[in-house]
Amino acid sequence: MEVVVAKQQKAKKQINLFYCSECEELALKVAASSDAIQLQSINWRSFDDGFPNLFINNAHDIRGQHVAFLASFSSPSVIFEQISVIFALPKLFIASFTLVLPFFPTGSFERVEEEGDVATAFTLARILSMIPKSRGGPTSVVIYDIHALQERFYFGDDVLPCFETGIPLLLQRLRQLPDADNITIAFPDDGAWKRFHKLLLNFPMVVCAKVREGDKRIVRIKEGNPEGRHVVIVDDLVQSGGTLRECQKVLAAHGAAKVSAYVTHAVFPKQSYVRFTHSNSAGPADQFAYFWITDSCPQTVKAINQQPPFEVLSLAGSIADALQI
């Protein structure tokens, strides 16, 4: 008699997810996307002198369990209190520890161009590499679309960096567009092309480049044709947005029917996102049709508040999946 052996699905790890104050909304979404995640809390307090007065709730109850922490290093002022918790959690006799840091904030400061430059990407990677081991071994560090892939080598052997990407969220959204069959992907420079083109091979591509004309650096189209297409500019992050704006102008001048943009990390210091809102544009020809961002920078998401053309593609489901690795 034939014996049929049913393959049992691998049981999901039950995760206790702690989070910083900024990430509360994202943490709620992560927990809502998986029945294997239970939210835990920390009392984020300060002494009168401003230094952290922290308390990890249910510290005894998480012994022997899998634990994760959702961090946001949005400014130097909040890093110390989160590092203090990150270093404390693995010592609570937990089964394993995962740090989820969606945005690695010093990633664009990864090289020394002249003597005296400080590569702070290396500094932060060294700090995270000192996270204590849990009972299950080294800490896993989940980061989305780190600025330069070589930064994986900045981390020491005592942590396990896991590099994820937000591009699947973009692909899912592009499939929903009414002109999904008319999409062309553009990259603002060779670095973005190297970083992402292998994830977007099913689309025609345009590559832009900055060239020097006198004292100015001007964006030009290096290769590809945007004429008549809905062109989506893809990059890992945006700061002031100057390069994206110049790319939009040159693509429109070369006949693009629409121009949209996607970045995983919407940093936008000093509210620089305002220059992209439809209410601040000179007219339809000056507008982005869509500007997709993720919620890797929670403060920016809160400030933008879904003002057109911005749409937030949440990392919550992807983070929930990453916690099962």
Side-chain angles (χ1 to χ4, degrees):
M1 188 172 79
E2 184 179 354
V3 178
V4 179
V5 179
K7 291 184 178 180
Q8 294 183 347
Q9 287 187 341
K10 184 180 178 181
K12 287 186 176 181
K13 291 187 295 184
Q14 297 299 308
I15 307 291
N16 292 273
L17 178 61
F18 293 86
Y19 53 92
C20 68
S21 299
E22 285 180 24
C23 286
E24 182 175 6
E25 184 174 344
L26 178 55
L28 289 168
K29 290 180 180 178
V30 173
S33 66
S34 172
D35 57 7
I37 296 173
Q38 179 178 350
L39 292 185
Q40 300 288 351
S41 64
I42 294 167
N43 295 339
W44 301 95
R45 305 167 300 192
S46 297
F47 292 108
D48 290 341
D49 60 3
F51 278 89
N53 176 17
L54 309 169
F55 186 81
I56 299 171
N57 295 305
N58 300 322
H60 189 275
D61 296 339
I62 63 173
R63 289 183 176 182
Q65 299 187 35
H66 300 289
V67 172
F69 181 77
L70 179 58
S72 176
F73 291 175
S74 59
S75 71
S77 63
V78 300
I79 291 178
F80 179 68
E81 64 181 13
Q82 292 182 59
I83 287 289
S84 299
V85 169
I86 290 165
F87 276 53
L89 283 169
K91 294 184 176 183
L92 296 178
F93 298 95
I94 60 178
S96 70
F97 182 57
T98 300
L99 168 63
V100 181
L101 181 62
F103 175 46
F104 187 76
T106 60
S108 56
F109 308 104
E110 84 284 9
R111 58 184 180 272
V112 174
E113 295 184 346
E114 63 175 310
E115 197 66 32
D117 283 344
V118 178
T120 51
F122 182 62
T123 306
L124 184 55
R126 290 181 69 184
I127 292 172
L128 297 180
S129 297
M130 298 298 293
I131 298 172
K133 293 183 176 68
S134 66
R135 294 179 70 178
T139 293
S140 299
V141 181
V142 179
I143 297 172
Y144 281 81
D145 290 319
I146 198 165
H147 184 66
L149 288 177
Q150 66 266 25
E151 291 175 48
R152 70 177 64 226
F153 303 112
Y154 293 179
F155 292 85
D157 293 337
D158 291 329
V159 295
L160 301 173
C162 176
F163 297 110
E164 297 291 318
T165 180
I167 294 296
L169 300 175
L170 172 64
L171 293 174
Q172 182 180 19
R173 184 66 181 93
L174 292 180
R175 287 193 290 267
Q176 298 169 354
L177 296 179
D179 57 352
D181 59 349
N182 193 42
I183 300 294
T184 289
I185 301 296
F187 302 102
D189 51 40
D190 285 332
W193 177 84
K194 291 176 183 176
R195 183 74 180 78
F196 293 116
H197 81 278
K198 290 184 179 179
L199 302 173
L200 298 160
L201 292 175
N202 291 332
F203 297 93
M205 296 184 187
V206 171
V207 181
C208 298
K210 287 184 178 179
V211 296
R212 186 173 294 281
E213 289 189 2
D215 294 334
K216 297 181 179 180
R217 288 175 64 84
I218 299 174
V219 173
R220 301 288 192 202
I221 292 180
K222 181 180 176 182
E223 59 182 82
N225 181 12
E227 186 174 2
R229 307 287 291 181
H230 180 178
V231 182
V232 179
I233 306 169
V234 174
D235 209 351
D236 63 317
L237 62 83
V238 58
Q239 296 268 0
S240 69
T243 298
L244 288 180
R245 176 58 77 188
E246 291 304 311
C247 285
Q248 186 267 340
K249 289 179 180 178
V250 73
L251 290 165
H254 283 75
K258 296 184 201 172
V259 179
S260 296
Y262 166 85
V263 296
T264 302
H265 310 299
V267 184
F268 284 130
K270 300 179 180 179
Q271 296 185 321
S272 53
Y273 65 86
V274 171
R275 69 193 300 182
F276 293 97
T277 58
H278 285 175
S279 59
N280 282 278
S281 67
D286 188 53
Q287 294 177 354
F288 280 77
Y290 301 93
F291 199 130
W292 294 293
I293 63 176
T294 77
D295 42 7
S296 68
C297 299
Q299 288 184 323
T300 303
V301 170
K302 185 176 181 180
I304 289 175
N305 195 27
Q306 295 282 18
Q307 295 179 66
F310 292 100
E311 287 186 10
V312 178
L313 309 179
S314 182
L315 294 171
S318 178
I319 290 172
D321 291 341
L323 290 175
Q324 293 298 323
I325 296 175

